[in-house]
Amino acid sequence: MTDSFDRTIDYVRIAVTDRCNLRCFYCMPAEGILYEPKAHLLSYEEITRLLSVLGVLGFQKVRFTGGEPFLRKDFMQLLENTAGLEDYKSIHITSNGTLLQRHIPKLKELGISKINLSIDSLDKERFHKITRRDDFEKVMQTFHILIDNGFKIKLNAVIMKGINKQDIIPLAELAKDYPVDVRFIEEMPFNGGYKENVELYSARDIYSDLKAYYPNLIKLQSKHGDTASLLSVPGYKGNIGVIAAFSRTFCNTCNRLRISANGEIKSCLYDDGVFNIRDYMRSGVTDLELADKFREIIRLKPKDGFEAEKMRKDQKEAMKSMSSIGG
Ligand code: SAM
Ligand code: SF4
């Protein structure tokens, strides 16, 4: 399916829960956020149905995120159902890596190999300061086990002014020894109201740090829908990416739709939710009606994140946490 700007929309990101066992301070306050009652979350049968309808519309890629997806008890069942849907060439997961180790054999059995792990620092104390939890060793162990088992790993690190810019090079150096893409993300204001203003350490700042350390850094051609500007250091096993999540320089190639844990569809990360598909589904509509609704939503997808922000009915959207939006 294409939108009115001729972009092919074939990638859906679904937050399977808004709950999380970490408290990354760029994502939510120390006391957490007000979670949705369980009955408000999409059931795994509802998610499978949505995926199957989207598959008919040409969707080929799905990412499960959250919150922490592995906190959800029926998550493996959802993965099993999704693996049975023929339309999806690739199933991706974004996780904080604290709870997934015991699921590795099942993930392998299902052929799910693409996992994004979030690690914002290789310094145990700084990791603790950022996540407000003491799971550094567990997450690093997960990283190594996944690599040893042949998973295709991308590391996500949010870079924050005054907090972890000193981690950029040590994290990037992981790409030297491991076949892993290390991606640095600009901080966005979706932190559950923890702090009002984000002092941006921009994609340009991150790129300058990388270029200063790696004078022979090469810019690679981005793939369809890629939000990261991809870079490579000659001889390194993995690549480096910089994601201008706040500067929003990639909207012209956007290929995605988001579904929050409570069924709210976001046709852009910066809108405030355009339609609640859970309520619509629970009103008893047919698959054809669901498909028509998705077509309408995709047709109305805004040009870019700045336009989406202007069109918000509720400017408090920026007070939401990425954990409920689905990062
Ligand atoms: N809990 C999982 C995790 O941390 O990977 C999945 C959900 S988390 C919301 C998904 C991604 O969003 C993570 O890579 C996280 O670093 C990123 N994220 C969360 N809040 C953010 C913010 N305010 N700005 C930029 N990225 C953010
Ligand atoms: Fe949890 Fe992920 Fe948000 Fe950290 S970024 S608090 S791990 S949802």
Side-chain angles (χ1 to χ4, degrees):
M1 267 217 70
T2 51
D3 68 3
S4 54
F5 301 97
D6 215 23
R7 296 173 295 199
T8 299
I9 312 299
D10 56 5
Y11 172 26
V12 61
R13 298 170 66 103
I14 303 184
V16 298
T17 179
D18 55 355
R19 288 152 172 77
C20 193
N21 55 332
L22 302 189
R23 289 288 177 275
C24 307
F25 82 85
Y26 51 78
C27 180
M28 59 164 94
E31 66 277 14
I33 53 168
L34 199 61
Y35 292 138
E36 292 278 348
K38 287 233 169 93
H40 288 193
L41 303 182
L42 291 167
S43 69
Y44 78 80
E45 292 94 342
E46 286 171 331
I47 295 176
T48 312
R49 181 176 174 207
L50 289 178
L51 284 172
S52 132
V53 171
L54 287 170
V56 174
L57 294 180
F59 278 64
Q60 303 186 345
K61 176 174 170 186
V62 55
R63 173 174 304 282
F64 294 115
T65 176
E68 175 47 40
F70 287 95
L71 265 181
R72 185 161 164 163
K73 293 215 167 55
D74 55 8
F75 184 47
M76 296 313 286
Q77 181 62 56
L78 171 62
L79 291 180
E80 200 162 337
N81 284 13
T82 310
L85 297 173
E86 279 181 10
D87 294 312
Y88 292 88
K89 286 197 201 134
S90 52
I91 300 172
H92 303 238
I93 301 171
T94 301
S95 166
N96 63 31
T98 56
L99 305 165
L100 73 71
Q101 278 183 29
R102 71 188 178 92
H103 299 295
I104 288 175
K106 186 71 186 173
L107 292 172
K108 283 177 83 170
E109 187 191 314
L110 293 174
I112 297 174
S113 62
K114 292 174 178 160
I115 299 189
N116 287 10
L117 274 187
S118 302
I119 305 179
D120 306 305
S121 177
L122 289 181
D123 177 85
K124 187 175 179 324
E125 271 176 35
R126 215 157 31 246
F127 180 93
H128 182 270
K129 191 173 164 201
I130 294 169
T131 62
R132 305 191 183 101
R133 294 290 183 272
D134 208 7
D135 285 314
F136 175 71
E137 266 119 19
K138 200 189 292 168
V139 175
M140 285 314 291
Q141 194 185 40
T142 305
F143 167 72
H144 286 290
I145 298 177
L146 288 171
I147 293 278
D148 291 347
N149 277 275
F151 282 77
K152 293 204 173 78
I153 302 299
K154 290 182 183 170
L155 286 191
N156 286 346
V158 178
I159 299 302
M160 293 154 285
K161 203 165 200 163
I163 305 287
N164 65 342
K165 85 181 185 73
Q166 61 275 51
D167 284 295
I168 294 175
I169 301 305
L171 282 163
E173 281 292 281
L174 288 174
K176 181 179 181 183
D177 300 323
Y178 303 102
V180 56
D181 283 1
V182 181
R183 295 131 39 100
F184 300 104
I185 308 175
E186 281 182 353
E187 184 179 9
M188 294 179 283
F190 308 116
N191 53 44
Y194 170 65
K195 48 179 180 170
E196 261 183 38
N197 292 314
V198 164
E199 229 193 305
L200 187 68
Y201 200 70
S202 70
R204 201 175 288 195
D205 296 329
I206 298 168
Y207 178 75
S208 300
D209 290 354
L210 290 165
K211 186 73 187 160
Y213 192 81
Y214 303 113
N216 50 355
L217 200 61
I218 299 165
K219 284 194 180 180
L220 301 175
Q221 190 71 32
S222 293
K223 286 188 231 103
H224 164 64
D226 217 340
T227 50
S229 302
L230 271 189
L231 307 162
S232 141
V233 180
Y236 278 35
K237 291 186 177 158
N239 293 323
I240 299 172
V242 182
I243 304 183
F246 187 71
S247 309
R248 286 160 261 180
T249 47
F250 43 68
C251 301
N252 58 340
T253 57
C254 183
N255 64 343
R256 59 192 61 191
L257 211 62
R258 280 168 200 272
I259 306 182
S260 299
N262 64 0
E264 196 67 24
I265 296 185
K266 277 171 157 290
S267 55
C268 169
L269 177 57
Y270 283 85
D271 71 31
D272 58 350
V274 291
F275 190 75
N276 193 292
I277 204 76
R278 173 204 64 200
D279 295 343
Y280 193 55
M281 234 186 322
R282 290 182 188 175
S283 73
V285 292
T286 63
D287 284 0
L288 282 178
E289 286 168 313
L290 271 178
D292 278 345
K293 184 47 83 178
F294 277 120
R295 281 194 191 94
E296 181 189 326
I297 290 166
I298 290 169
R299 209 173 39 245
L300 295 173
K301 186 173 158 68
K303 180 166 143 276
D304 56 35
F306 296 100
E307 188 177 293
E309 204 171 2
K310 266 193 252 151
M311 281 159 50
R312 280 183 199 153
K313 300 166 287 301
D314 181 1
Q315 288 304 332
K316 287 211 192 85
E317 185 68 13
M319 306 292 277
K320 276 201 184 153
S321 159
M322 279 297 272
S323 187
S324 54
I325 293 172

